[in-house]
């Protein structure tokens, strides 16, 4: 079974631009979560989508948004890029169970550099 | 904030068992212990998880103390490819609890 895929793997943007990152979950998984990883703050949760609805949200400004499509694929968008948005953006998918364990599996990440 | 405490770094000789400790003294009854690892600049890789019983899979063993306040991840025969940052995470059951809260983890260096 194919793992979580993320595109693009690397991206360079300039301040003020916007960017869209894509994530394809493991087949059959309905939940997609996004995380940001920086050297200073470590791995931080951005948001989770399940059945096209945002189910959980971390403490990030409104410039960070996401959506999920009916096939469970997800995109995240960052508008008005700042230098501090340079990070590894990780997507994780899971079955999305509301009870019991629900293991998240991560993709390889998208490395975003803002100049 | 992460609900776990891990040593910042550990060394292990290749071929020997690597025992990575984790303290989670405030763990609740419905919280699981998850372990992930991250090899430099790659996405975190799921290793194992457990509630109160010891668990084993093809990658590792997880030993949880009877009071559940600490656990140990055991890599039975460490190889150079096991060099990574290992994260111990406590997480409530149920998908709606969504996010994993990562701490700083333990940087394991496996040496020849």
């Amino acid at each position: 079974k194919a793992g979580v895929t993320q595109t693009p793997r690397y991206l360079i943007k300039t301040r003020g631009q916007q960017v869209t990152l894509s994530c394809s979950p493991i087949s059959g998984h309905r939940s997609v979560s996004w995380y940001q990883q920086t050297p200073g703050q470590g791995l931080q949760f951005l948001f989770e989508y399940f059945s096209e609805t945002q189910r959980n949200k971390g403490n990030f400004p409104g410039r960070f948004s996401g959506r999920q499509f009916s096939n469970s694929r997800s995109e995240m968008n960052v508008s008005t890029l700042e230098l501090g948005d340079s990070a590894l953006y990780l997507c994780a998918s899971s079955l999305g169970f509301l009870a019991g364990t629900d293991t998240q599996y991560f993709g390889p990440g998208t490395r975003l550099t803002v100049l | 904030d992460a609900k776990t405490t891990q040593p910042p770094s550990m060394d292990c000789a290749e071929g020997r068992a690597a025992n990575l400790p984790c303290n989670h003294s405030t763990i609740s009854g419905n919280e699981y212990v998850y372990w992930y690892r991250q090899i430099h600049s790659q996405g975190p890789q799921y290793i194992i998880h457990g509630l109160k019983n010891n668990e084993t899979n093809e990658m590792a063993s997880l030993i949880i103390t009877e009071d559940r306040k600490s656990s140990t991840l055991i890599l039975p025969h460490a190889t150079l490819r096991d060099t990574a940052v290992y994260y111990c995470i406590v997480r409530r059951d149920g998908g709606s609890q969504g996010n994993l809260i990562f701490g700083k983890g333990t940087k394991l260096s496996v040496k020849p």
Side-chain angles (χ1 to χ4, degrees):
Chain A
K1 190 183 266 192
V4 178
T5 58
Q6 293 187 245
T7 57
R9 294 293 312 279
Y10 302 91
L11 205 49
I12 299 175
K13 292 286 188 178
T14 56
R15 280 181 298 174
Q17 287 187 309
Q18 74 166 17
V19 67
T20 299
L21 312 181
S22 181
C23 171
S24 292
I26 292 170
S27 177
H29 284 192
R30 297 172 65 191
S31 170
V32 173
S33 297
W34 289 89
Y35 295 80
Q36 180 197 64
Q37 185 173 28
T38 60
Q41 299 298 318
L43 264 155
Q44 294 185 291
F45 170 74
L46 280 157
F47 29 66
E48 180 206 4
Y49 284 87
F50 178 80
S51 290
E52 302 177 65
T53 301
Q54 188 179 88
R55 189 162 70 171
N56 204 357
K57 186 178 187 303
N59 188 25
F60 277 81
R63 298 186 298 107
F64 293 82
S65 63
R67 60 177 176 168
Q68 187 181 33
F69 302 96
S70 58
N71 61 358
S72 294
R73 191 177 69 84
S74 176
E75 290 181 347
M76 68 161 283
N77 184 276
V78 188
S79 62
T80 320
L81 284 166
E82 301 176 359
L83 295 178
D85 296 333
S86 294
L88 180 66
Y89 289 89
L90 293 155
C91 164
S93 78
S94 70
L95 291 167
F97 290 153
L98 292 179
T101 59
D102 187 49
T103 302
Q104 293 188 5
Y105 297 90
F106 284 81
T110 294
R111 171 73 62 185
L112 172 65
T113 302
V114 182
L115 302 176
Chain B
D1 289 348
K3 297 177 64 174
T4 62
T5 304
Q6 299 178 252
S9 64
M10 292 182 64
D11 289 341
C12 177
E14 189 178 20
R16 304 296 294 270
N19 297 288
L20 292 95
C22 179
N23 286 321
H24 31 79
S25 58
T26 61
I27 193 169
S28 300
N30 64 347
E31 289 182 319
Y32 288 76
V33 179
Y34 279 78
W35 283 84
Y36 284 79
R37 72 181 182 184
Q38 186 174 28
I39 298 169
H40 183 61
S41 291
Q42 298 181 22
Q45 178 187 23
Y46 165 76
I47 302 173
I48 198 167
H49 72 278
L51 183 62
K52 54 184 177 182
N53 297 318
N54 298 337
E55 302 287 345
T56 296
N57 63 20
E58 65 279 3
M59 287 183 68
S61 295
L62 173 60
I63 308 297
I64 302 174
T65 58
E66 192 168 341
D67 63 8
R68 303 209 323 124
K69 293 186 177 181
S70 66
S71 60
T72 301
L73 178 75
I74 301 172
L75 308 178
H77 305 287
T79 71
L80 299 179
R81 289 178 296 179
D82 292 322
T83 292
V85 177
Y86 287 76
Y87 297 99
C88 169
I89 299 166
V90 164
R91 180 178 178 227
R92 289 169 59 184
D93 63 351
S96 67
Q97 312 316 321
N99 51 298
L100 299 167
I101 300 175
F102 287 82
K104 296 187 184 303
T106 296
K107 182 174 173 55
L108 176 68
S109 298
V110 181
K111 301 181 184 299

